Amino acid sequence: MSGTKTALKAAKSALDDHKYEEAIRQAELVLASDSNSYNAHVFLGLAYDKQNRNEDSEKAYKTAIRSKTNEPLAWQGLLTLYEKQHGEKLDVSHDAALTLGKIYMEKDDRNRCQTVLDKYTNDAKKYGSRTQLKRSLEVYLPTGPLYEYLEGRIPQPAQTYSRLAELVEAEEKERVNTEIGQRRTRLGARIDRVKADVRREVLESSQLEALYRAIVDWTNDDEVRRQYEEKLLQHVYDHLTVLPRPGKETKRKQVEKLADGLVILKHPFLLAWSVKLEWADVDNLEELDVGLLREHILLFPDEGRSKVLRGYLESDLSPFSQHQAEPKDEDGDGGTSAILMSAEDRLLLMGEGFEESSSSPLAHRIMGQFYLYLEEYESAATTARRGRDCIQADRNISSLGLSRNWNAMSIILGTALVHYQAPRHHPEARELFEEILSHNHTETSALLGIGLILEEQENYAEASHFLTRALAKSTDPKIRAEAAWCKALNGDHETSLNELNACLSEMESTDPRTKSLRSQTLYRIGMCIWNENTSISARKSRDGAYAQFLASLQADLNFAPAYTSLGIYYADYAKDKKRARKCFQKAFELSSSEIEAAHRLAKAFAKSSEWDLVEVVAQRVIESGAVKPTPGSKKKAISWPFAALGTVQLNDQEYNKSVVSFQSALRITPTDYHSWVGLGESYHHCGRYVAATKAFDQAQKLEIISEDETVKENWFSKYMLANVKRELGEFDDAIADYNVVLESRPNEFGVSIALLQCLVESAWHCIEIGFFGRAANRAREAISVAESIAKLYSGAFNLWKALGDACSVFISVQAYIEDFPCKALKSLLETDDCLEAFDNLADVDGIGRDALLELHLENEQTTNILHASHAAVMAHKRAVQACTNDIHAKAVSWYNLGWAEHRTHQCGFGQSKPSLKKKSMRYLKTSVQCFKRAIELEAGNAEFWNSLGIVTAELNPKVSQHSFVRSLYLNDKNARVWTNLGTLYLMEDDFELANEAFARAQSSDPDYAQAWVGQGLLATHLADPGEARTLFTHAFEIADSCSTIIKRQYAMAAFNSMSSSAKASQSSDVLQPLFALRQLRSQVTADLAFQHLLSLFAERARDNASAISNLDHVSNELESQYEKSESPITLLRFAQTKSDLSRAHLANRDFEAAMGNAETAVDLTNDGHQGNEEHQRIRLSAHMTAGLGYYYQEKLDLAIQMFRSALEETQGDPNIVCLLAQMLWAKGGDQERSVAREQLFDCVENNPGHVDSTVLLGAIAVLDDDEDTVEAVTADLKNLRATDDLSEQKQGKIGNLLTTIAALFPGGITEDLAGITEASTEIMLAPSKPHGWSQLADLHLTEVSYPADMAVLTADKAALYGEGFDVMDLAKTHVGTRRIEDAQRAVMLAPWMASTWDGLQFV
């Protein structure tokens, strides 16, 4: 035992000497002998502590504590160890500090007890978190175990609670923000819902309410108490706002109790007063405590609701006595009262306060009643709607019903809706009143409101019933007056007059609250007098209704119906239109529901063409809602405002809007003739022509059944219907309708101009579809109509513009130039002797006054074309003069004149006379000046720039390019401009840019044919004829009949393709170019080259008569030209024509003419130009034609002579050798046939791949029974048959000959087997070709029909794809099937072939 004490002392001494290892050793020695030694564990824990062995130290201290729990030494060491770790052990320090404090409390050591707690709380403040600090402060609370012992030495509870409240407030705020930030990013989260959920979760677990109550209970400072009472109320109120409805009642009672307490203390906390005032559910405002209202004003003078309350209490509308409402002076002695505000200042104050209190139901209720009092029904309705929203918000927050407040606000809204834009909102108002009556069936305001609504709907009996129910509970003179007025409206004017006079006697004229009612009653008395005696003298009397209307206005100058009645009096009886208009204007200004005043105003404004005012009147009436009665009403709807609005919109060119307006008018009045006409006109301007046609048809039906004479005699619908048909392209019907109108109104200038324009448009439409003769007739009719118009008025721009266009029609259809009425044009252009108009640019183009003298000359065709173009130019010059005052029309007229000059240039440039070509350049320069003037007047018109680019292309390419680029800047989607720009680049040999421009044109408008022509010209320049032909063909297919360049390029491309192709041309390949060239001949008669080309196509189409006629014409023209010019080129063309003409006569079996023309062609080319390829072709064709002619005339010697001449000139051409051999063989002599064999042997030897000579030699060998030659020819033909470049005809010739040889020279096998072998070989070599199948079918060896079927199938495909298989070959294959349907089809395909008819007898 003594050793233990010695070791303890040694350990103590070592600790004092800071020898901690020694102390640990000594303490361990003690513990080795006494493991429960308290002091040894303490010394060991202290030594470990000094060595920073915190875990060992804590373990030693805890072991010591377990041995002696109530000893403070180990607890002190443990707390010191915890304090040393700077907050890391704050959580366990709490229990240790409390335990040590209790130990000191048992030992009655207050100082040490307080020190322990202070150190712990200081560490928590210094190192701890917010939660640890809160826990540390709890030791000071009255609920703590040491509070009573240390009371007076530790902080007051109020201070501790305040500090805890601050910490909790910060903690909850941070938690709310964190949770909202996390949850708002969730899928489908709504921010308002997220905020409400988070706040509810936080507030449900919040300690603040208990802390605030504790502060209020423990504090001795009234100011602090009020502060935390405010916080408590706000906290409970916030909790109430987020609670679900089932849990709100308890919390609401807490809110009400807290608010009542603050209000009783008159504490200026706005939320408390808001709860007290806003949650007060009263039927009338007079039920509110006026003292409470006054206190609110005093406590919150700058708050919005206080301003509203102050204005209300000082107004005439206030139900409280004036002395009650006046606030006293600050001393409260009642000696003086505050100075009352003026009505204007009061209204401004209330308006300002209302804006500041946008969430106050009380403010909305007061302002709603105040607006009703001022008859500001729109503001009252808006305010009441917002007030209902505010009440609903309070309902949601408090779960109170607030039914009285709700009903009161509904009454305000319903009353406002009854009067605002009546009867537009009557259904809504009635629904509100009926809802109120379902809860309170005696509510006077609701009964009165429904009565007024029924009165407006002309349901006077039902209205009287509701007003009578209202009178049962109220003696309000307003209700009595309404009941009396219902009787007047129901026809009982005398009774109503007596009752209204009785009501009037009860209304004080000095009471401002009854001013409007008194005015209304006086007006109604006047209306009773007005309707009771309807005689003119009674209504004219100024002592009767007139006096009452004036008295009504004296009572209230803003009563609109009285102005309307006075206006009717002045308009219909006093005949004072000026005063009447003023009265109607005043009535409509005051109320848009004054329909009669608005109608008369609209008529007056329309008569004076004040369309803006008509629109204002109509729009206001429509917006008032009075035009369409409510469902169930007996009132009729009104259509005239919609019709008037549609008319204004039609004048303003707002056609889509006018359509809607007229449709609305017709829904109300389907028999309104003028609305149907307006609707049709609107549809017409919108481009909806089918709908416009239906509208005008309906208008014409109304003309028939209408009893209104003005409608029956109306011609406008017929005229507009003609306009619509004109837009639809139904020109014949439109012209007929115009003529019908002109029969009844021959001097109607607008209709005549429309007819003229329609005729011109019809003419151009006929050109587009290829009816050129009809176009010329339409143009003549147009000129005739223009003559009649010029007699009425010759100064119209459209007259001369249309006349110029009519003249231009003849330039586009030159075949009918003989029909051009020169004399009529001369007289027309001389109308009014305005010869100075022709002086415009006459010094440049030479078309001035002298040009008129030439119009009656008709010497030759060329001159006539120029006369037509000159007439067009002069007509457009008259148009320029006719529009000097209209900038836009003047620009258009210069533009039209420019195009007329350009057409004249084209007419002259296409002539053969050099003088005309030179003169035509003057027109081109004039055209440039015209377009420049048009651009000066209207520089933003893309078409003007495009036109300038076209006419300057050959004069100045740079200017042309600039013009096209400028046009594209204004409109870059115009395909025509891109095409023109591409053409310019093509002219300048810039193929890349040209290709880009044409591509842009095609992308902008794929149906614009000229763009494809441009691409075709580009392909031609790039030596790609196949692509060029494809492009020209596509352009021709999508183009109309106007363009000549498309026909030219398409025809040339088609002819070049057929000429260069080894395949025989098909009739389908010839017909389209033939039609195109025939149209071209009608459009351009002087183009001899293409007339010649037309003849060549006609020859290929076997239209020999047409070919001969055209070639005769071309030949005569060329002969005339040669006689004048003696040009070798013209001579060569003449020889070519004669050669082609001879061939046409040969095809027509006119052999004498054929030989004569052929010999002429030979003689014309016999000038020593044998090296010229063109000469050789002409001579070869002429020799061949003459030879064939002689052959068919059986003059074989001459025929052989011609073929030999052709053979000599062609140096042994194999084709001519074949013809010569055939001629020699046909002559029949041995010598001739021997020569034919020699010629063919030489030809085959010199031209081993020539099919015709080989076949011909084989045929002669078969006839001569020359087996050696047959064998050699057979071998050659089999080799030739295997080549790929043979045409269908040559393959057929080889196949037929080989089949014949196989049949005649079987070579050891049967004849049938030899035929089958040969046909099978043909099929194997070309299974997709019909010849082999036809040969196999022709053998008739079996009953199987598949060879004939395959022949038809392959022939159909060959004909479909143009593989050199013509229609006659196709018909033959169909006959071979021996079926009735195929035989009939063969007859349909080639009815001129006898074999097709013969095929019918075999089936």
Side-chain angles (χ1 to χ4, degrees), residues 169 172 199 203 206 208-209 212-213 226-242 251 254-256 258-259 262 269-275 279 397:
E169 287 172 357
E172 290 185 357
R199 290 181 60 198
L203 289 171
S206 176
L208 283 177
E209 182 177 348
Y212 291 153
R213 291 187 184 278
R226 299 289 90 79
Q227 176 186 352
Y228 280 93
E229 283 178 346
E230 291 177 6
K231 287 190 174 185
L232 177 59
L233 175 58
Q234 186 67 55
H235 185 273
V236 177
Y237 181 80
D238 291 342
H239 194 184
L240 175 66
T241 59
V242 297
K251 192 62 66 176
Q254 294 178 13
V255 172
E256 290 175 334
L258 291 170
L262 291 174
F269 184 50
L270 186 59
L271 177 60
W273 290 87
S274 296
V275 169
W279 291 4
I397 291 173

Side-chain angles (χ1 to χ4, degrees), residues 633-664:
S633 173
K634 296 180 180 180
K635 291 188 70 175
K636 293 183 179 180
I638 303 169
S639 63
W640 70 261
F642 293 104
L645 185 60
T647 304
V648 174
Q649 291 164 343
L650 196 59
N651 282 339
D652 292 342
Q653 299 181 0
E654 297 177 341
Y655 304 119
N656 289 324
K657 292 182 179 179
S658 65
V659 167
V660 175
S661 298
F662 285 123
Q663 285 177 339
S664 300

Side-chain angles (χ1 to χ4, degrees), residues 558-818:
N558 294 325
F559 189 67
Y563 285 106
T564 301
S565 298
L566 276 178
I568 296 173
Y569 171 82
Y570 285 128
D572 297 345
Y573 298 98
K575 305 301 180 183
D576 190 344
K577 293 184 178 180
K578 186 175 182 180
R579 286 188 178 181
R581 185 166 177 171
K582 288 183 177 179
C583 289
F584 291 138
Q585 285 180 339
K586 185 65 175 177
F588 191 63
E589 287 174 5
L590 292 172
S591 173
S592 59
S593 297
E594 290 301 311
I595 305 301
E596 182 63 26
H599 194 190
R600 293 182 179 239
L601 272 180
K603 285 185 176 180
F605 290 144
K607 287 180 181 179
S608 58
S609 298
E610 299 177 75
W611 297 110
D612 292 342
L613 297 178
V614 174
E615 181 181 14
V616 170
V617 171
Q619 193 65 49
R620 280 198 64 194
V621 174
I622 293 171
E623 291 174 353
S624 70
V627 294
K628 294 181 180 179
T630 56
S633 173
K634 296 180 180 180
K635 291 188 70 175
K636 293 183 179 180
I638 303 169
S639 63
W640 70 261
F642 293 104
L645 185 60
T647 304
V648 174
Q649 291 164 343
L650 196 59
N651 282 339
D652 292 342
Q653 299 181 0
E654 297 177 341
Y655 304 119
N656 289 324
K657 292 182 179 179
S658 65
V659 167
V660 175
S661 298
F662 285 123
Q663 285 177 339
S664 300
L666 290 170
R667 290 190 190 100
I668 297 172
T669 311
T671 59
D672 186 357
Y673 169 79
H674 298 288
S675 292
W676 280 111
V677 173
L679 179 62
E681 189 173 356
S682 300
Y683 279 138
H684 169 251
H685 289 297
C686 287
R688 300 165 64 180
Y689 301 119
V690 176
T693 303
K694 294 180 180 178
F696 287 126
D697 286 340
Q698 185 64 31
Q700 290 185 335
K701 292 178 182 178
L702 292 176
E703 289 178 6
I704 298 173
I705 64 175
S706 176
E707 298 179 358
D708 189 350
E709 292 299 326
T710 60
V711 173
K712 287 185 175 181
E713 297 176 0
N714 208 319
W715 53 271
F716 188 71
S717 62
K718 175 71 72 175
Y719 165 67
M720 288 304 302
L721 183 58
N723 287 341
V724 173
K725 290 179 179 178
R726 171 180 156 196
E727 295 290 349
L728 288 171
E730 301 174 5
F731 296 107
D732 293 339
D733 293 341
I735 292 169
D737 287 344
Y738 285 133
N739 286 323
V740 170
V741 175
L742 287 174
E743 287 176 2
S744 59
R745 301 181 69 87
N747 296 328
E748 194 65 45
F749 177 75
V751 180
S752 298
I753 285 291
L755 174 60
L756 174 60
Q757 292 173 330
C758 184
L759 287 168
V760 174
E761 290 174 10
S762 176
W764 285 107
H765 178 69
C766 290
I767 293 176
E768 290 177 359
I769 60 178
F771 294 163
F772 301 127
R774 187 180 298 179
N777 292 335
R778 288 292 193 214
R780 287 179 60 87
E781 291 178 30
I783 294 172
S784 176
V785 172
E787 286 186 273
S788 61
I789 296 174
K791 296 175 183 178
L792 297 175
Y793 178 62
S794 62
F797 161 73
N798 289 334
L799 166 64
W800 299 109
K801 191 262 183 188
L803 182 61
D805 292 342
C807 294
S808 298
V809 168
F810 286 95
I811 302 174
S812 298
V813 288
Q814 297 176 10
Y816 302 90
I817 194 65
E818 294 179 358

Side-chain angles (χ1 to χ4, degrees), residues 44-343:
L44 186 59
L46 181 58
Y48 285 147
D49 182 10
K50 296 300 182 179
Q51 289 185 335
N52 294 324
R53 296 167 61 181
N54 297 333
E55 293 183 1
D56 294 337
S57 176
E58 183 179 4
K59 184 177 179 181
Y61 283 135
K62 288 183 176 180
T63 303
I65 290 170
R66 283 196 293 270
S67 61
K68 291 184 179 180
T69 306
N70 295 325
E71 286 296 328
L73 187 59
W75 287 106
Q76 286 177 352
L78 185 60
L79 280 175
T80 302
L81 177 64
Y82 288 160
E83 291 169 6
K84 175 183 174 183
Q85 296 181 36
H86 303 301
E88 293 182 6
K89 296 292 186 178
L90 272 177
D91 292 333
V92 293
S93 294
H94 178 77
D95 295 334
L98 283 179
T99 303
L100 184 58
K102 291 178 183 178
I103 292 172
Y104 286 137
M105 181 179 66
E106 292 175 359
K107 295 181 179 294
D108 196 20
D109 192 343
R110 285 186 171 83
N111 291 331
R112 290 187 175 182
C113 182
Q114 181 182 354
T115 300
V116 170
L117 295 184
D118 290 344
K119 284 183 178 182
Y120 166 59
T121 55
N122 288 336
D123 282 349
K125 291 177 183 178
K126 189 173 182 180
Y127 305 114
S129 64
R130 189 181 289 119
T131 304
Q132 291 170 335
L133 180 56
K134 282 168 39 182
R135 191 179 183 195
S136 68
L137 291 175
E138 289 174 357
V139 300
Y140 292 147
L141 295 178
T143 55
L146 302 177
Y147 174 75
E148 293 183 1
Y149 179 68
L150 297 177
E151 188 176 7
R153 302 174 68 94
I154 57 178
Q156 290 292 328
Q159 297 178 9
T160 306
Y161 280 122
S162 297
R163 180 60 180 149
L164 283 171
E166 293 173 2
L167 294 172
V168 173
E169 287 172 357
E171 183 180 6
E172 290 185 357
K173 182 179 180 180
E174 181 179 342
R175 180 184 171 190
V176 167
N177 292 338
T178 302
E179 289 293 326
I180 291 176
Q182 291 176 352
R183 297 187 188 184
R184 69 185 301 174
T185 58
R186 294 176 181 173
L187 210 61
R190 295 188 319 186
I191 186 62
D192 53 342
R193 185 66 180 172
V194 168
K195 287 181 178 180
D197 291 343
V198 171
R199 290 181 60 198
R200 182 174 62 253
E201 293 173 7
V202 171
L203 289 171
E204 285 177 351
S205 60
S206 176
Q207 301 173 352
L208 283 177
E209 182 177 348
L211 292 173
Y212 291 153
R213 291 187 184 278
I215 296 170
V216 170
D217 293 339
W218 284 95
T219 186
N220 296 321
D221 189 342
D222 288 341
E223 183 176 351
V224 174
R225 181 176 289 109
R226 299 289 90 79
Q227 176 186 352
Y228 280 93
E229 283 178 346
E230 291 177 6
K231 287 190 174 185
L232 177 59
L233 175 58
Q234 186 67 55
H235 185 273
V236 177
Y237 181 80
D238 291 342
H239 194 184
L240 175 66
T241 59
V242 297
L243 279 176
R245 191 173 187 84
K248 282 182 177 289
E249 184 175 359
T250 303
K251 192 62 66 176
R252 186 192 69 245
K253 291 180 179 179
Q254 294 178 13
V255 172
E256 290 175 334
K257 181 178 180 181
L258 291 170
D260 287 342
L262 291 174
V263 170
I264 291 172
L265 295 173
K266 298 181 181 179
H267 180 65
F269 184 50
L270 186 59
L271 177 60
W273 290 87
S274 296
V275 169
K276 186 67 177 177
L277 294 177
E278 305 295 357
W279 291 4
D281 194 18
V282 294
D283 289 321
N284 299 298
L285 291 176
E286 60 188 17
E287 298 177 22
L288 294 173
D289 185 355
V290 67
L292 199 63
L293 302 180
R294 187 169 56 197
E295 291 294 340
H296 184 278
I297 296 171
L298 290 174
L299 290 173
F300 309 100
D302 297 327
E303 196 264 335
R305 184 170 47 217
S306 296
K307 295 177 182 178
V308 174
L309 287 171
R310 182 184 174 191
Y312 174 69
L313 292 177
E314 294 185 12
S315 69
D316 297 330
L317 188 63
S318 173
F320 307 109
S321 58
Q322 191 63 41
H323 71 275
Q324 280 183 298
E326 292 173 354
K328 306 298 181 180
D329 63 352
E330 292 182 0
D331 296 334
D333 57 3
T336 60
S337 62
I339 300 175
L340 296 177
M341 293 182 292
S342 64

Side-chain angles (χ1 to χ4, degrees), residues 450-466:
I450 294 180
L452 293 174
I453 292 171
L454 293 170
E455 181 183 309
E456 177 66 27
Q457 295 176 356
E458 299 182 2
N459 192 349
Y460 304 122
E462 192 72 17
S464 180
H465 169 70
F466 276 92

